[in-house]
Amino acid sequence: MAGNESQSTRDIQILSALEEPALLLDANGRVFHANDAAHEYFGAWIDGQSYVSVLRQPDLLAPVESAFARKAHGTARFSHSSGAVETLFDVTVSPLSSGKGRPFVLLVFRDVSALRNEESMRRDFVANVSHELKTPLTAIMGFIETLQGPARRDPKAQARFLGLMAQETGRMNRLVTDLLALSRLEGLARRKPTDAVDLRAVIGAAVDALRPIADGVGVTLHIDAPDSALVTGDHDQLVQIAVNLIENGIKYGAQPGTVTVCLTPIKREPVLRSAAWRCEVRDNGPGIPPEHLPRLTERFYRVDTGRSREQGGTGLGLSIVKHIVNRHRGRLRIDSREGQGTVMTITLPRHEKQSADSGRLS
Ligand SMILES: Nc1ncnc2c1ncn2[C@@H]1O[C@H](COP(=O)(O)OP(=O)(O)O)[C@@H](O)[C@H]1O
Ligand SMILES: [Mg+2]
């Protein structure tokens, strides 16, 4: 008897040590023990209840019945919803046999929702990339046909179609460049950058590079910043952030209009738990309706697909920015009011050399 008791105490300890929800059913099919994770999912009421009333889904009841009747091992899918969240489990059903009588049955629930989400994200991603490439490809094929046929002896039309083809190949090239940047970033995600980079110089270079484009559409670029702003970062990636955000301000802000980049030192950023630099890129454009804000950093998410395409956008810019900011252990914040413009705010940890010297700066 004493042996049995210590055996069942040990069984219970094993279940409690499991992170996955686990239920041990006694020979009568009642919940003999449920670990904390199982209580969290099913509620506290399940102790001593029949498995039929706890599990209720026929797909899972069948293997449990076979485990009791024939000591058969089994697996099943089980979905559990609480509020708006649906969790999907792979359940293993194992009879724990001790001699001739009906066995105890152990159910272990492995949460596979994350895996499934990842799978469906990957599927969506491949579908999106294919679609984004297919659109310019189809256009180019059409232009080639026209050049071979109707425009064969029309140099003016030929020049026009070649120009359009250059545009479409440019789009495909940008798309592939952005995709490569994203995949490189994914590989680097866990490696924190260590260089001291002057964010002021980075912004200056980005503004200089974009000035011709801004001039072309009547946008004035301003910088409001101290002479230097050292952050711990990766120079090329910080340039990518600055170019992406300023370019968005030019493309989607007011034309004519103004894009201002502000750099402000923060003594102690509560979330980063360190001294930081805050970089704001502000435009006075039409802004972004609030329902889009949470999704802007998703790959290929655009508010106005037509406008983005027209401007040569890939829909990947903010997703790249987000990845870079995460790698730098920084923060990205998007504020926008319809009709009043957009502010994109990046906060990055200040480089130690300059934080030690922060009295001078803040
Ligand atoms: N400053 C801004 N003002 C208004 N809309 C913006 C701004 N920045 C970004 N957006 C919206 O967010 C979308 C995603 O931006 P991004 O990821 O850079 O892609 P892309 O610029 O290639 O379209 C844009 O298509 C645009 O609809
Ligand atoms: Mg962009």
Side-chain angles (χ1 to χ4, degrees), residues 74-117:
T75 56
R77 275 271 155 111
F78 179 77
S79 66
H80 181 264
S81 38
S82 109
V85 184
E86 200 199 22
T87 314
L88 190 71
F89 292 103
D90 270 351
V91 189
T92 52
V93 181
S94 320
L96 307 179
S97 184
S98 54
K100 280 197 217 132
R102 268 163 71 92
F104 275 36
V105 170
L106 174 68
L107 288 94
V108 180
F109 296 72
R110 193 165 65 96
D111 186 344
V112 292
S113 338
L115 273 177
R116 193 178 57 160
N117 282 345

Side-chain angles (χ1 to χ4, degrees), residues 244 247-248 251-252 317-318:
N244 265 306
E247 197 182 28
N248 278 351
K251 292 195 302 192
Y252 308 114
L318 288 177

Side-chain angles (χ1 to χ4, degrees), residues 42-169:
F42 294 102
W45 61 276
I46 60 172
D47 293 329
Q49 298 295 318
S50 150
Y51 73 87
V52 180
S53 60
V54 175
L55 305 173
R56 278 191 278 175
Q57 293 178 13
D59 285 354
L60 183 52
L61 294 180
V64 177
E65 271 153 28
S66 325
F68 277 122
R70 298 195 303 279
K71 298 186 181 164
H73 289 260
T75 56
R77 275 271 155 111
F78 179 77
S79 66
H80 181 264
S81 38
S82 109
V85 184
E86 200 199 22
T87 314
L88 190 71
F89 292 103
D90 270 351
V91 189
T92 52
V93 181
S94 320
L96 307 179
S97 184
S98 54
K100 280 197 217 132
R102 268 163 71 92
F104 275 36
V105 170
L106 174 68
L107 288 94
V108 180
F109 296 72
R110 193 165 65 96
D111 186 344
V112 292
S113 338
L115 273 177
R116 193 178 57 160
N117 282 345
E118 233 168 70
E119 264 169 41
S120 83
M121 268 169 65
R122 205 178 355 254
R123 260 200 312 274
D124 287 354
F125 181 62
V126 171
N128 276 328
V129 171
S130 313
H131 176 73
E132 296 287 336
L133 283 171
K134 185 99 183 136
T135 311
L137 260 182
T138 309
I140 292 170
M141 281 159 61
F143 297 141
I144 293 176
E145 252 171 50
T146 316
L147 286 175
Q148 288 172 329
R152 207 168 24 195
R153 286 184 236 292
D154 181 347
K156 253 201 195 151
Q158 283 172 359
R160 193 162 73 82
F161 283 114
L162 285 172
L164 291 169
M165 286 166 73
Q167 234 176 46
E168 297 298 331
T169 40

Side-chain angles (χ1 to χ4, degrees), residues 185-204:
L185 276 167
E186 273 171 358
L188 287 173
R190 283 174 211 292
R191 262 190 286 154
K192 214 171 138 182
T194 50
D195 295 344
V197 180
D198 184 0
L199 198 53
R200 171 65 181 80
V202 164
I203 287 163

